[in-house]
Amino acid sequence: EDQVTQSPEALRLQEGESSSLNCSYTVSGLRGLFWYRQDPGKGPEFLFTLYSAGEEKEKERLKATLTKKESFLHITAPKPEDSATYLCAVPLAAGNKLTFGGGTRVLVKP
Amino acid sequence: DTEVTQTPKHLVMGMTNKKSLKCEQHMGHRAMYWYKQKAKKPPELMFVYSYEKLSINESVPSRFSPECPNSSLLNLHLHALQPEDSALYLCASSQDQRIPTGGQYFGPGTRLTVT
């Protein structure tokens, strides 16, 4: 069964304390893995698409990497404005239906 | 421009009311989606339109009725909702349903409260 799991569920960081979020997946024939950022009460904001193992994408303090079984979102020297829920998602084989992980709620304290 | 707009931002309705949610995109995307999101949960897919035709209905109750008048607009008609239908309703679009490139772009959502 196709499954996407994120860990940890919540992460509390001090400003400047780098950390990583994990997204593990069991999907036959990966057709891409997407990372989103979601602020409370708002829609998810598209961050990255990764397609193949070894691929990396960067945006400001965020860096996403992909292996054959999981993806990591590294947050380097985070700032309070990086506080949000980070979601990963993969499209299922049929119909590009996104299967989301449960999300990781990140809180960065000044 | 990677913007998906949704109106209204907030909606409070009684269980006997009829209301509609609206979504618009001008990115030339040919796939549009409705999601429902409860607090502290990921979005759940409700409907997918591909080239203005309903492609996927995730067994959504008939009190939710989607409509795609043209390639830029998506509506969700609501009737006789239940309090448990209160949630954030998200619209999204993508280049093509069959090609997952570039991901899906989400609107800001409509916060719906059913009283």
Side-chain angles (χ1 to χ4, degrees):
Chain A
E1 180 185 344
D2 296 328
Q3 203 166 15
V4 181
T5 304
Q6 290 186 247
S7 62
E9 289 187 7
L11 190 60
R12 297 166 69 97
L13 301 171
Q14 287 297 127
E15 184 172 2
E17 179 188 0
S18 301
S19 189
S20 294
L21 285 55
N22 177 267
C23 172
S24 62
Y25 60 89
T26 53
V27 176
S28 55
L30 184 68
R31 297 161 71 238
L33 184 143
F34 305 120
W35 280 100
Y36 290 88
R37 169 198 169 121
Q38 187 172 25
D39 293 303
K42 297 187 177 181
E45 174 192 348
F46 176 73
L47 294 174
F48 305 110
T49 306
L50 301 167
Y51 288 107
S52 56
E55 189 174 0
E56 299 181 351
K57 294 275 181 73
E58 286 189 70
K59 180 180 181 180
E60 296 180 359
R61 294 175 293 282
L62 301 177
K63 179 179 178 181
T65 61
L66 182 66
T67 72
K68 289 186 177 180
K69 294 184 178 179
E70 57 193 350
S71 177
F72 293 94
L73 185 65
H74 308 278
I75 309 178
T76 302
K79 298 182 177 182
E81 52 263 41
D82 295 321
S83 297
T85 295
Y86 291 87
L87 296 161
C88 70
V90 297
L92 300 183
N96 195 17
K97 291 167 52 176
L98 284 186
T99 294
F100 284 88
T104 295
R105 296 189 302 278
V106 174
L107 176 63
V108 182
K109 290 193 168 185
Chain B
D1 182 11
T2 56
E3 188 178 24
V4 176
T5 60
Q6 290 186 243
T7 57
K9 289 185 178 180
H10 302 276
L11 179 62
V12 179
M13 60 185 291
M15 290 188 285
T16 58
N17 292 158
K18 287 185 179 180
K19 297 286 184 182
S20 296
L21 309 184
K22 297 184 183 300
C23 173
E24 190 168 4
Q25 59 86 15
H26 293 289
M27 295 178 277
H29 288 173
R30 301 314 300 268
M32 297 186 75
Y33 310 78
W34 280 115
Y35 287 85
K36 173 182 177 179
Q37 187 176 27
K38 297 286 244 181
K40 296 188 177 181
K41 297 290 186 182
E44 296 177 11
L45 183 66
M46 300 174 71
F47 302 104
V48 181
Y49 272 84
S50 179
Y51 290 83
E52 299 152 52
K53 292 186 178 179
L54 184 63
S55 172
I56 295 175
N57 177 340
E58 290 288 275
S59 301
V60 178
S62 60
R63 57 185 183 268
F64 296 91
S65 176
E67 177 195 20
C68 189
N70 60 55
S71 61
S72 301
L73 294 174
L74 187 66
N75 298 322
L76 186 63
H77 304 296
L78 313 172
H79 172 57
L81 295 191
Q82 303 297 311
E84 58 264 30
D85 296 322
S86 299
L88 182 68
Y89 287 84
L90 295 163
C91 173
S93 70
S94 67
Q95 184 177 359
D96 188 303
Q97 182 188 357
R98 296 165 296 176
I99 304 170
T101 56
Q104 295 177 14
Y105 291 88
F106 285 81
T110 293
R111 172 67 62 190
L112 173 67
T113 303
V114 182
T115 61

